Amino acid sequence: MKIVIVTQGIYPALDPRSHRSTQLAMGLADIGHDVTVYALLGKYDYSELQKGRNLTFKNLGISRWGMSDSDNNSKYTILNRGLKKLFWKVCLFPDIELVPMIKRALRQEKNIDLLISIAVPYIDHFGVALCKNLKAKCWISDCGDPFTGNPFRKLPFYFKYIEKYWCKKTDYIVVPIEAAKNGYFEKFRNKIKVIPQGFDFRNINLAEYKENIIPTFAYSGAVYKDLRDPSAFLRYLTALHFPFHFIVYSVGGAIFGNFSKQLGDKMEIRPYVKRDQLLHELSKVDFLININNKSGVQQPSKLIDYAMTKRPILTLTSDFNSSERKAFDEFLKRDYTHQTLVENIDDYNIENVVRKFTDIYYKKINS
């Protein structure tokens, strides 16, 4: 079938939704579908990803107001930063710039069998909803975090009406975990399907693990004050008077930076790297740190990457309570009794994920 995917970010951008878009596009193309992806592409050469696949990447355009393209380039000037601070909550600036881009792109596409829009940003969905005479047999809106139902983001009241308009127009809404359904209007939950993040399980290059001389553990991903906040954990680390090595892969991690002087060479902050390289590096450490979101409607996608490294996972909360401290102390002693186990790992195989998307389509057209 002819499939069109609309998203802001795509590979080589290093974030969960760009990864979702890329894996989904390649997975659908690998099983023989004709796939076109619209995104803010930048200058990356996609010929290698397209090779041997009926897969085409098309540029939505160039953002004038500071949205990053997939090369992580942006016109993020002082003016644009100020405008974003003033107007994001009012009108989702600069994301709103995507609306005319999406409408222009979809006017060029005829006879679409399956249309998939991917958020964040939610403007990807809203832009599709505003397209007149949309020619698609089935439209699936794929979501990470909820929009107005996100308990850690307060938006003006009128966005509820915009979200309801989109929910009414889309055929299906896809969320990564069952609990995420609670972040959406009850009226539209019959449209919600649960499909987890997809990962290519082929050609994973892990290191041959050898126990490190001193306890070595790692964290990868973004952190947020009052949502996914490692401050209490980091304060505990500063009080430990024995050697350890804590490796952090994070961009803009000011929270980690606040503790870098106190921890010295016990904590090493590294920039994000490509996923295959990240998995290889994480497979060398003794264990991995996962920090849960405080919200029950969200779950860090990094858990699947962690599981694929075959290293024990310690899940903490922002509170870092007494039971978590006890479990961490056990991990330092190589006792992984209280590790987090990721169940049904094969559900995250991209081959199974794309099948679930196509199953939704066939259910729609055969109903």
Side-chain angles (χ1 to χ4, degrees), residues 170-313:
T170 190
D171 293 306
Y172 296 98
I173 299 167
V174 164
V175 297
I177 58 173
E178 186 71 28
K181 291 181 178 181
N182 297 325
Y184 296 84
F185 299 109
E186 187 173 357
K187 179 180 178 180
F188 300 104
R189 288 179 192 169
N190 62 315
K191 290 188 173 188
I192 298 179
K193 305 293 181 184
V194 179
I195 304 180
Q197 187 88 335
F199 297 83
D200 189 346
F201 285 13
R202 298 168 297 181
N203 304 318
I204 298 172
N205 180 26
L206 302 181
E208 182 179 348
Y209 171 71
K210 294 180 181 179
E211 186 177 286
N212 292 278
I213 296 174
I214 64 172
T216 301
F217 48 100
Y219 174 85
S220 174
V223 292
Y224 309 97
K225 185 174 175 57
D226 301 324
L227 170 60
R228 192 190 305 156
D229 191 341
S231 297
F233 173 59
L234 292 169
R235 278 193 293 271
Y236 185 73
L237 292 184
T238 63
L240 299 180
H241 300 294
F242 54 83
F244 61 83
H245 189 198
F246 182 29
I247 302 170
V248 175
Y249 289 91
S250 188
V251 172
I255 296 177
F256 290 111
N258 292 337
F259 290 85
S260 59
K261 185 176 181 180
Q262 293 168 273
L263 288 169
D265 58 8
K266 290 183 175 181
M267 181 171 69
E268 179 185 356
I269 302 176
R270 301 178 182 177
Y272 284 148
V273 295
K274 292 181 180 179
R275 181 171 173 269
D276 54 351
Q277 182 183 348
L278 177 65
L279 294 182
H280 184 80
E281 292 302 314
L282 293 181
S283 67
K284 297 177 183 178
V285 305
D286 296 309
F287 61 92
L288 300 164
I289 299 293
N290 171 53
I291 305 173
N292 264 350
N293 295 330
K294 285 189 176 181
S295 167
V297 298
Q298 299 159 294
Q299 175 180 287
S301 60
K302 70 170 65 64
L303 271 178
I304 314 309
D305 275 334
Y306 278 9
M308 294 173 69
T309 68
K310 304 186 185 302
R311 304 309 311 133
I313 303 167

Side-chain angles (χ1 to χ4, degrees), residues 88-92 147-148 154-161:
W88 189 87
K89 279 193 174 182
V90 177
C91 63
L92 304 183
F147 186 57
T148 59
K154 294 182 179 180
L155 292 169
F157 72 95
Y158 49 81
F159 278 113
K160 290 185 178 181
Y161 300 105

Side-chain angles (χ1 to χ4, degrees), residues 77-126:
T77 63
I78 294 175
L79 173 62
N80 290 345
R81 286 199 295 270
L83 291 172
K84 180 176 181 178
K85 189 172 182 178
L86 285 172
F87 296 117
W88 189 87
K89 279 193 174 182
V90 177
C91 63
L92 304 183
F93 180 91
D95 300 349
I96 196 171
E97 189 182 5
L98 285 169
V99 170
M101 295 182 184
I102 291 170
K103 293 172 71 174
R104 184 168 56 249
L106 293 182
R107 280 199 297 268
Q108 302 175 37
E109 300 296 333
K110 308 297 181 184
N111 304 314
I112 302 171
D113 293 305
L114 176 57
L115 172 63
I116 303 172
S117 55
I118 297 179
V120 292
Y122 268 79
I123 281 291
D124 292 344
H125 300 327
F126 303 158

Side-chain angles (χ1 to χ4, degrees), residues 22-36:
T22 308
Q23 290 294 317
L24 193 57
M26 293 194 299
L28 289 165
D30 282 344
I31 58 174
H33 298 296
D34 176 2
V35 181
T36 299

